[in-house]
């Protein structure tokens, strides 16, 4: 399952690194090529709620169907002759994204022994930060050296490997108890899930305000060369890997809400530190590791935790995390852009993330104190 989250990580974030290559290859503007990013996010938002109609399917069958769509969507993207076909392929590729994360988190939680469930979910999610650390720089290099279609071809091959592995090695699991169509949404009547989503939305938005503009900040404020961004982004990805793993381990020992609350609270201090240290190279590189570690230190445990809060609608709850994550990314990038356009500089989006981190920390603190997670 981690192989598939690796594929999804490249599919989602790889487009940002190859956007100019795609635009040149199709003979369109970079702004128009940006629609391919939007199309993927739209697919994520549309596909996740469709889980309610597949609630009676066995979990292994669900995963195989999702991975098949990922394979087909990326294969069609690699073979797309023009703008419209690539746009449709990107939308189709996004449809199973949130649904896969929701189902995979449940499967990992079911298969893992007691006391290691959060760590198991973290292993499944580890493909995403590894994709940012290794996969995205790799496909950017391959696109620049050969052709942008190689990116989608690589994802299709990776998805095919994951499809075969899930088919051969994942045990058959019974479907989740059917609570009916209305029952799938019943968990949303309680405050706990909404606080989890708030923690994801605001906690991760605080980092993405800055991370969306890390390249111009590092080159124009800190003084790194553009070529240095390759290894800086590797440091960013490594931070995501470490944060995901450490937070997963800690969430097996301590309440996940407490772990994520502490991480979000730490960001309240980290984000202004990024702003004030932006002119200095060593601290800026350190924070390029630390802040993304916090990003996945929040998201990973909450992906596990929502399964506990969303009884009767576990897959929909897990998919909702990905919706919150994608909407958070889009809004925080826009917020950071507004700050820059107002003339505050390329480091200023880090300051915009401070109140967002504070709101996220408060939401997670209330979750921990007033709405403890139901028993597994």
């Amino acid at each position: 399952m981690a192989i598939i989250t690796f594929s999804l990580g490249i599919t989602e974030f790889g487009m940002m690194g190859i956007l100019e290559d795609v635009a040149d290859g199709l003979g369109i503007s970079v702004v128009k090529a940006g629609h391919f990013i939007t199309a993927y996010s739209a697919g994520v938002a549309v596909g996740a709620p469709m889980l309610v109609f597949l609630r009676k399917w066995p979990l292994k069958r669900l995963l195989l169907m999702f991975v098949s769509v990922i394979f087909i969507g990326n294969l069609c993207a690699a073979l797309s002759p023009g703008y419209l076909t690539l746009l449709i392929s990107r939308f189709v590729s996004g449809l199973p994204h949130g649904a896969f994360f929701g189902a995979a988190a449940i499967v990992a939680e079911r298969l893992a022994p007691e006391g290691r469930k959060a760590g198991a979910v973290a292993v499944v999610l580890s493909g995403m930060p590894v994709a940012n650390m290794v996969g995205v720089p790799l496909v950017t290099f391959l696109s620049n050296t050969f052709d942008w279609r190689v990116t989608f071809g690589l994802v299709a091959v990776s998805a095919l490997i994951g499809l075969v592995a899930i088919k051969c090695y994942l045990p058959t699991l019974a479907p989740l108890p059917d609570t009916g169509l209305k029952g799938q949404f019943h968990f949303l009547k309680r405050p706990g899930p909404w606080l989890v989503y708030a923690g994801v939305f605001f906690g991760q938005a605080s980092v993405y305000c800055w991370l969306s503009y890390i390249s111009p900040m590092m080159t124009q404020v800190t003084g790194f060369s553009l070529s240095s961004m390759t290894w800086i982004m590797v440091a960013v990805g490594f931070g995501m890997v470490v944060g995901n793993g450490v937070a997963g381990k800690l969430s097996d020992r301590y309440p996940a809400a407490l772990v994520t609350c502490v991480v979000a609270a730490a960001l309240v201090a980290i984000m202004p530190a990024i702003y004030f240290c932006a002119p200095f190279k060593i601290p800026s590189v350190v924070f390029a590791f630390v802040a993304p570690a916090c990003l996945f230190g929040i998201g990973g445990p909450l992906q596990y935790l929502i399964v506990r809060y969303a009884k009767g609608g576990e897959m929909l709850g897990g998919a909702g995390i990905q919706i919150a994550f994608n909407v958070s990314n889009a809004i925080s990038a826009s917020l950071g852009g507004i700050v820059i356009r107002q003339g505050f500089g390329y480091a200023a989006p880090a300051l915009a993330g401070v109140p967002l981190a504070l709101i996220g920390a408060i939401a997670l603190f209330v979750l921990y104190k007033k709405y403890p997670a139901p028993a597994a």
Side-chain angles (χ1 to χ4, degrees):
M1 290 186 291
I3 293 173
I4 303 305
T5 60
F6 175 80
S7 303
L8 291 173
I10 296 178
T11 307
E12 182 172 16
F13 297 109
M15 178 59 77
M16 300 173 187
I18 67 171
L19 203 60
E20 291 185 75
D21 294 336
V22 174
D24 291 341
L26 296 180
I28 59 176
S29 69
V30 172
V31 173
K32 191 172 183 179
H35 296 166
F36 300 133
I37 298 175
T38 305
Y40 188 85
S41 296
V44 175
V46 171
M50 292 172 59
L51 275 172
V52 298
F53 302 107
L54 304 174
R55 62 188 184 277
K56 296 181 182 180
W57 284 29
L59 290 167
K60 182 174 180 177
R61 183 182 172 191
L62 268 177
L63 291 179
L64 290 173
M65 190 268 285
F66 295 150
V67 178
S68 296
V69 175
I70 295 167
F71 168 71
I72 293 169
N74 281 281
L75 181 62
C76 290
L79 300 174
S80 291
Y83 169 79
L84 183 59
T85 50
L86 182 55
L87 193 72
I88 295 171
S89 298
R90 288 287 291 171
F91 177 80
V92 171
S93 299
L95 288 173
H97 182 111
F100 179 85
F101 275 95
I106 294 167
V107 171
E109 202 254 357
R110 278 195 172 191
L111 293 178
E114 199 62 45
R116 299 183 65 183
K117 294 182 180 295
V121 175
V123 169
V124 172
L125 298 180
S126 66
M128 184 69 80
V130 170
N132 279 277
M133 182 176 70
V134 179
V136 173
L138 174 62
V139 297
T140 301
F141 169 77
L142 292 174
S143 176
N144 294 338
T145 306
F146 300 104
D147 189 86
W148 61 267
R149 298 177 188 277
V150 175
T151 297
F152 299 108
L154 183 65
V155 174
V157 171
S158 178
L160 184 61
I161 293 171
L163 181 69
V164 173
I166 290 173
K167 175 70 175 176
C168 294
Y169 298 111
L170 190 71
T172 300
L173 297 171
L176 293 170
D178 183 20
T179 57
L181 188 59
K182 290 184 178 179
Q184 296 291 303
F185 297 91
H186 185 73
F187 73 94
L188 293 173
K189 294 182 178 181
R190 296 184 290 271
W194 290 108
L195 290 168
V196 171
Y197 291 144
V200 171
F201 182 90
F202 289 104
Q204 301 206 6
S206 67
V207 178
Y208 266 102
C209 276
W210 156 78
L211 190 58
S212 299
Y213 301 94
I214 185 174
S215 181
M217 190 199 83
M218 287 291 192
T219 56
Q220 299 189 38
V221 180
T222 312
F224 283 105
S225 65
L226 189 59
S227 61
S228 297
M229 287 309 302
T230 300
W231 64 263
I232 289 173
M233 293 310 294
V234 171
V236 168
F238 185 53
M240 292 177 178
V241 172
V242 172
N244 179 68
V246 171
K249 293 288 186 182
L250 289 174
S251 295
D252 279 329
R253 297 184 59 186
Y254 306 100
L258 176 60
V259 172
T260 54
C261 174
V262 171
V263 174
L267 284 171
V268 177
I270 290 171
M271 299 316 294
I274 290 174
Y275 174 78
F276 289 112
C277 293
F280 309 104
K281 290 186 175 181
I282 293 178
S284 292
V285 172
V286 171
F287 285 125
F289 169 85
V290 172
C294 293
L295 177 75
F296 272 79
I298 293 173
L302 292 182
Q303 183 80 57
Y304 154 74
L305 199 59
I306 194 65
V307 176
R308 306 274 294 277
Y309 282 97
K311 294 299 181 183
E314 290 91 342
M315 282 192 293
L316 186 62
I321 291 284
Q322 295 303 311
I323 295 176
F325 179 73
N326 277 270
V327 174
S328 172
N329 290 355
I331 292 177
S332 58
S334 298
L335 179 59
I338 291 171
V339 171
I340 293 170
R341 284 194 296 273
Q342 291 300 314
F344 293 103
Y346 286 115
L351 290 181
V354 175
L356 299 175
L358 182 60
I359 295 171
I362 292 172
L364 293 168
F365 179 75
V366 172
L367 179 72
Y368 168 64
K369 294 297 289 185
K370 297 195 68 174
Y371 304 100

